[in-house]
Amino acid sequence: MATPYAALLSLARSIHQILDLDPLIHKERIVSLQEKVDSVITFLEDYSEKHRGTHDRVGNEIRNAANEAQDFMDSYLCLVSRTHDEWSSSEANNCDRCLAMAFERINFIWEEAMEIMEKEDTTEDLRSRTRAIHHSYRAQVTESKVVEFDDDLDAINELMYEDSSKLQVIPIVGMGGIGKTTLARRAYEDSLRAQYIDIYAWATLSGEYQRRGTLSELLRSLKKYTTDANQQYSGECEAQLAKRVYQTLVGRRYLIVIDDIWSSKAWDDLKMIFPDDDNGSRILLTTRISDVAVYAGCSSTSFHQMKFLNEDQSWKLLEEKIFGHESCPLHLVGLGKKVARNCRGLPLTIVVVAGLILSSGNMMKEEFWESVLGNISSTESTINVQCSNILSLSYDWLPLRLKPCFLYIAAFPEDFDIDISSLIMLWVAEGFLKPSDEFKCLEEVGKGYLEDLVHRNLILVSEKGPDGKLEAVGIHDVLRKICITKAEEEGFLHHLSFKSIDACGDAIENPKRRLYAHSTLAFQELHTQDSSVRSIFSEARLFATLPPNFRRLSILNSPKVTWWNLPEVISTFVNLRYICFTLDDNYMTWPDRFLASLSKLPNLETIIADVNWGLELEVPNQILRIPKLRHLIMNNPFHLSDPSNIGIINKSDLQTLEIVINFMFTEDAIKTLVNLKKLTVVFAELGDNWDDFNLNNLCRLQNLEELQVSLGLSNYFIVTDTPHDPSLIWNYAFPMSLKKLTLHGVPFPWENMAIIGSLPNLQVLEILDNDINRESEWSMLEDQFLQLKYFCSTLDHLVNWEMEKDHFPSLETLILKRVKWIDEIPRGLGEIDSLQLIELEDCRESLVNSAKQIREQQHENGNDVFQVNVINHEYMKNFA
């Protein structure tokens, strides 16, 4: 259902795009279309919630009809984007025809939805098959003891046997196949041997949770503890079954395992049957979803997160599964370790590989092990099919709103760190995000979707920012293969590669909306595709031409591609919402003229340009007047053509602006940037004072969350001969909404830090090379920096720093670089309970010694996670 749903979301996005036109003809007809599409989307969401985990009954017919309707609406948009005076009678007729055909296709979708509603039936056969796969895996993966979870077992036992008589819920969390059930089984069996518990029971839930079935399974597990082991419960209602479980457990110290729970609702359904008699009872709970673990455990720190095995652990597990207590023959060890390494730390894959080897009859032959090694790498391998049957459950049971977002991961390369800001911008442009209320911006909704996928252990956190927030994510190879397979099967995204070039003749019969190109040769296939393509992706560094017939394109995400013909064709792409590309003046004629063409695209929301090194670019002010522009991002600084006169946009959605040179915060600029959240600005020609830039207005940007100010273009690898006068002190206030502030080369005196310290939401502060050319002191004040978690500085010309514990009450990380004016870190830092890290880069030895003393103090106070990192570069060895 993900692809029909995504197609309907994209159609709704196109209709909303048209409704934003002013003036708008045919308004009543288009509003009617919008209402009908929105109703079908709501129906699919409700239907999916009721039938989650079942095969989709909504198929290609709805997807194709939605795509066709979007084609007609986009054609309509192309026509009405021109002034009416230019219309011929045939063009007016074409407008009417486009609307009529869109109506026809949307009515078909509506009728299909109504038919589905009338024919809803049970899906017990599929649920039975799902349970069979699920339990088959569990029998396989837990059939023998696994020695590679000893550290995990120690952590679980520490929670189980801690000195607390209260009932404790201990969740074990991780992606499918990572060993949660195996770990729970070991803890369960160890407890049996220790005779610490009076009564034991085990119940497996999985996605298709049914309360009656779970209660019956618990009662079967508890039979040996009851007076009548032959009691039958088939005729009793759920309330009676729940009462029997409760009465069996009450007054006894018990250990219950709830294996594979998928929802908080399921936990709410069960928790009342577990009495808390203050006798040390425990519940072990395994889940793929972190939110469920937090909910059940009532604390984000109380669950155990499973990790992937390292190479050594992977090999030991594979060896134990195949050879038991014997060692692997020497002639197979090298190949065996390669096989284990290619399982990428996932116990499920290792167990399946071991089963394949054991059942072959050729387990002692090197040639067979080599074939297994090749099998793991093949997307159509037996191993991958078996693993996919298990891990696909995580995808099947996703809420419908998350499925298109997950499938979108297929548009990124293997082992790629995906920048979450760019990913969410793409989701916004596709129309995948639906705000829960009208006051929540789409980017915030996207962050919620992303965190949900992380909590479900479908995607992995690969990088966090200094404030602890997500910055980049990735995906395990096995899940990525599932993602790509699902995306291809459902017609969501198609990968263009050398293999697909010979098989591109089905483009007309099976139109492809999203294409990923791996190579220049693959890009040649673009010219064979029909014009229904909406999104193009590539992460390869290529030179290519963009087919001019792709005028309906909405997404062009090619950060490393230089398009030879982009300036010539871009002005006709009126549907374009997102563009990410390389801007290289060696291969693109008139880049300034090209940017002027971009400013004429009415639906453009995101511009991301990788500008080649050394190119000083002038961007026309008109770009800021694109009515729907949300993000303008360039990796090299650029000038606005007339920074003092950008004009006023009555309704500007601009949220990100970086990296702009000598920006002037005029009255018009402040009114235009009312929704700005992230700003990176460089002042290259300061002159005698700051007044020319109207910095007194900066504090009026009431939604600004991230601000980076730099003085001097040399910080961005563009050399300027204009010196700055360090006597020009910054005395201007900052917006109270700031969460992150970076000042680089800005003369900001330490005596004025109260300006920054009073910012109530500030979490990240970087002050680098603030050369004020005189010695300074910093006596910190109370009730400041209350939220600051991360502080990075060169502490230029600071000779005395006085602080107490309460001055940085939330500080977690302190980074000091090239500090040469003070001899030691204030002792008050050693008393901050939240502190986790001090990092010193090219600092004097006395400063390093004081940091080590703080480490001893922190460890004595029980803060064992605190650490000190020291980095000394070769060129700084003689630094005094």
Side-chain angles (χ1 to χ4, degrees), residues 11-12 14-21 23-38 73 76-77 80 95 98-100 102-103 106:
L11 170 58
S14 293
I15 295 174
H16 285 296
Q17 204 165 268
I18 293 170
L19 287 172
D20 287 337
L21 291 176
L24 175 63
I25 59 173
H26 305 118
K27 183 174 182 178
E28 290 184 3
R29 298 174 68 187
I30 295 171
V31 168
S32 174
L33 285 175
Q34 176 197 20
E35 291 173 348
K36 213 159 215 179
V37 172
D38 288 345
M73 296 309 295
Y76 176 88
L77 177 63
V80 299
C95 270
C98 287
L99 277 184
F103 257 104
I106 291 171

Side-chain angles (χ1 to χ4, degrees), residues 361-379:
N362 296 311
M363 58 179 287
M364 303 304 291
K365 295 181 179 179
E366 292 182 48
E367 307 83 56
F368 177 71
W369 283 72
E370 288 173 351
S371 70
V372 171
L373 186 60
N375 186 289
I376 297 173
S377 303
S378 169
T379 57

Side-chain angles (χ1 to χ4, degrees), residues 527-744:
H527 295 269
T528 71
Q529 302 290 330
D530 69 348
S531 57
S532 66
V533 174
R534 287 297 184 277
S535 304
I536 295 176
F537 307 88
S538 178
E539 289 291 340
R541 190 168 295 280
L542 305 171
F543 297 92
T545 57
L546 191 63
N549 63 320
F550 280 19
R551 290 187 175 89
R552 295 171 178 169
L553 203 66
S554 298
I555 312 290
L556 181 59
N557 186 36
S558 54
K560 299 177 183 177
V561 177
T562 298
W563 299 97
W564 298 97
N565 65 332
L566 198 56
E568 287 76 29
V569 300
I570 195 64
S571 62
T572 63
F573 287 31
V574 297
N575 291 306
L576 197 66
R577 300 178 195 138
Y578 179 105
I579 182 170
C580 179
F581 61 101
T582 291
L583 189 58
D584 192 331
D585 62 340
N586 293 321
Y587 302 99
M588 181 182 289
T589 307
W590 303 109
D592 294 345
R593 186 179 298 174
F594 162 67
L595 292 170
S597 296
L598 279 183
S599 67
K600 298 176 182 178
L601 300 179
N603 296 298
L604 199 55
E605 297 175 349
T606 298
I607 303 172
I608 302 176
D610 182 6
V611 184
N612 73 314
W613 184 84
L615 176 60
E616 290 195 52
L617 201 63
E618 185 173 286
V619 174
N621 284 359
Q622 287 85 349
I623 274 194
L624 296 185
R625 298 194 187 104
I626 298 175
K628 297 181 182 178
L629 188 65
R630 304 172 79 91
H631 309 281
L632 175 57
I633 302 169
M634 297 193 182
N635 66 320
N636 272 8
F638 64 88
H639 294 271
L640 287 171
S641 57
D642 186 0
S644 63
N645 181 28
I646 68 170
I648 302 176
I649 303 174
N650 293 328
K651 183 184 176 183
S652 173
D653 292 327
L654 192 66
Q655 297 179 28
T656 309
L657 179 61
E658 55 180 293
I659 306 167
V660 59
I661 303 173
N662 296 334
F663 190 80
M664 294 186 179
F665 295 90
T666 61
E667 291 287 330
D668 287 354
I670 295 298
K671 293 175 182 177
T672 295
L673 303 179
V674 64
N675 290 313
L676 198 66
K677 291 187 175 182
K678 184 177 182 180
L679 172 64
T680 303
V681 58
V682 178
F683 295 104
E685 300 169 2
L686 187 56
D688 296 330
N689 55 58
W690 297 93
D691 293 344
D692 293 341
F693 304 108
N694 304 103
L695 290 172
N696 56 301
N697 286 328
L698 177 61
C699 62
R700 294 169 56 190
L701 295 176
Q702 297 179 359
N703 291 303
L704 194 66
E705 296 180 355
E706 296 185 33
L707 173 64
Q708 180 173 336
V709 181
S710 296
L711 187 57
L713 284 170
S714 57
N715 294 329
Y716 291 93
F717 312 106
I718 301 178
V719 179
T720 177
D721 296 328
T722 305
H724 68 270
D725 185 351
S727 67
L728 297 173
I729 300 301
W730 181 291
N731 289 308
Y732 301 96
F734 298 99
M736 300 298 282
S737 54
L738 278 185
K739 296 180 180 179
K740 181 177 181 180
L741 174 63
T742 298
L743 301 179
H744 195 177

Side-chain angles (χ1 to χ4, degrees), residues 55 130 133-134 137 140 175-177 262 288 346 348-349 352 376 378-396 406 458 476-486 489:
H55 285 313
T130 301
I133 293 171
H134 188 81
Y137 159 64
Q140 183 183 34
M175 67 176 280
W262 287 67
R288 303 185 188 193
L346 189 63
L348 169 62
T349 308
V352 172
I376 297 173
S378 169
T379 57
E380 299 178 355
S381 70
T382 305
I383 293 165
N384 281 316
V385 168
Q386 292 187 52
C387 292
S388 295
N389 288 337
I390 305 301
L391 296 180
S392 290
L393 293 176
S394 292
Y395 172 77
D396 294 338
F406 175 70
L458 282 169
H476 192 277
D477 286 357
V478 177
L479 278 172
R480 180 176 179 270
K481 289 174 183 176
I482 293 171
C483 186
I484 290 173
T485 301
K486 294 282 187 184
E489 287 176 352

Side-chain angles (χ1 to χ4, degrees), residues 37-103:
V37 172
D38 288 345
S39 295
V40 176
I41 289 172
T42 301
F43 161 72
L44 288 184
E45 291 170 343
D46 293 341
Y47 177 87
S48 175
E49 188 66 26
K50 293 176 184 176
H51 296 267
R52 190 182 295 180
T54 66
H55 285 313
D56 297 335
R57 298 182 56 203
V58 182
N60 293 339
E61 293 85 359
I62 288 183
R63 179 200 67 187
N64 292 340
N67 288 340
E68 290 168 7
Q70 186 186 9
D71 290 345
F72 289 122
M73 296 309 295
D74 287 345
S75 296
Y76 176 88
L77 177 63
C78 291
L79 287 167
V80 299
S81 293
R82 304 171 59 186
T83 61
H84 296 171
D85 293 339
E86 298 175 2
W87 279 15
S88 64
S89 59
S90 62
E91 287 172 326
N93 290 335
N94 283 338
C95 270
D96 290 334
R97 176 180 171 275
C98 287
L99 277 184
M101 296 302 293
F103 257 104

Side-chain angles (χ1 to χ4, degrees), residues 243-254:
K243 183 178 179 180
R244 286 189 179 278
V245 174
Y246 183 88
Q247 289 176 337
T248 305
L249 298 176
V250 70
R252 293 167 154 178
R253 181 190 295 138
Y254 57 82

Side-chain angles (χ1 to χ4, degrees), residues 494 503 506-507 510-515 529-530 532-534:
H494 177 61
D506 67 336
N510 186 23
K512 298 175 176 64
R513 309 299 275 190
R514 300 175 186 86
L515 302 175
Q529 302 290 330
D530 69 348
S532 66
V533 174
R534 287 297 184 277

